[in-house]
Amino acid sequence: MNTSKSVELFERAQKSIPGGVNSPVRAFKSVGGTPLFMQKAKGAYLYDADGNQYIDYIASWGPMILGHAYEPVVKAIQEKALGSTSFGAPTELEIEMAELIISMVPNVDLIRMVSSGTEACMSAIRLARGYTGRNKIIKFEGHYHGHADSFLVKAGSGVATFNIQTVPGVTAGVANDTLTAAYNDLNAVKKLVAEHKGEIAAIIVEPVAGNMGCILPKPGFHEGLRKLCDEEAIIFIFDEVMTGFRLAPGGAQERLGIKADMVTYGKVIGGGMPVGAFGGKKEFMQHIAPLGNVYQAGTLSGNPIAMIAGYTMLTELKNNPSIYKDLEEKTIYLRDGLNEVLKTWGQPFVINQLGSMISIHFSDHPVVDFASAASANNERFKKYFHAMLNRGVYLPPSAFESWFLNNALTKEDLDKTIQATKESLQEL
Ligand code: KE4
């Protein structure tokens, strides 16, 4: 593949943007090589600055669940922009968006829009602390809830990719209020709760982890967390920035049948535009300003362009629930095809999959938490990533990320991906 334009652009980008990117995971640092600069995308395909086409398994890290440049979303944005791109005043569309979300997800009476998943998770934690009067939170190693200080403790995604143990700038005071446990280790959580009785405001969890590859909850894990939160009056927060509107219309709460106290959203909810949200029972949400004193705000929260993109996307998903069945069938087809070719290879591997989230780990043991994801042969993943890229398949540039399927993928695309994997094996 000729990627000389991306090489030139990356050189130039580094002169004006830290690391040449506006988000670290895009820099290909963990897989090596030059990040590809994208020029456009349509459906399941990305087109880089050199005009090369790639089958897309990032889907903008989740949002593009219906494929890129989805017609109804594009049209809605074009139209809405003619009536201004922002007011800084309430609009009817924000009410319609909130009502639509509340109609789709369980256990949410009130919801507040923000502009990113980070803001959603940061606000949910502040609300949990404000409501309980407690300071500490429990998060899980390898889980990523955005880049707010409280979350940059043993975090996943780019923090794990770059193996950043403690993030400079996060004060000891803040870090001390973030307790961590291994995902799927209920006893470790029980121990933390016993050691810090009455001090823990919230447990925040990626219900299906996606920031250390895709890692499923063990049976009983979330049920155990729910019970613990009920017993200790701890707020149970589902970070559904990735899983929301992807695993089911009602997200992981619906798919797993677990009731969270608060839920955060991002990605799909904005249809590719900057949107996040946090919501929950009135009992909690009524403490958010201006109703209550837990202050939270944003100039562009509920922005009309972002709202119309998200509203159009969610309406499509709500009115066509068969999309979820199609997406899951495509992901299972891919999983089984990859399994077939990888089995003939004779080297250890694990494929984790739920709904339209999937990841391959070159590991000889099950990948159930950060330690087992980190101890996989991730050098092999780097080779796999580039071997696939050279064959026109764009995977997330890190072993610590889930792949995200979009519904524009055809069986032919999936077969090409399976074939590209088969051809790549001798390069690993
Ligand atoms: P944003 O602030 O990036 O919109 O959302 C933060 C966030 C919160 N919670 C979960 C479960 C998330 O996955 C994310 C963001 N995910 C990463 C991808 N693993 C975003 C990609 C990036 O950092 O560029």
Side-chain angles (χ1 to χ4, degrees), residues 188-222:
V189 182
K190 286 177 179 170
K191 191 163 169 289
L192 283 176
V193 170
E195 286 165 0
H196 298 274
K197 205 150 183 60
E199 295 174 35
I200 297 168
I203 294 177
I204 185 168
V205 67
E206 290 183 45
V208 174
N211 285 291
M212 40 185 177
C214 171
I215 298 187
L216 280 59
K218 281 182 181 168
F221 180 63
H222 287 313

Side-chain angles (χ1 to χ4, degrees), residues 23 25 116-118 144-146 157 206 211 239 241-242 267 401:
S23 198
V25 283
S116 71
T118 294
Y144 180 72
H145 305 292
S157 185
E206 290 183 45
N211 285 291
D239 173 354
V241 168
M242 270 190 183
K267 298 179 190 283
E401 296 288 355

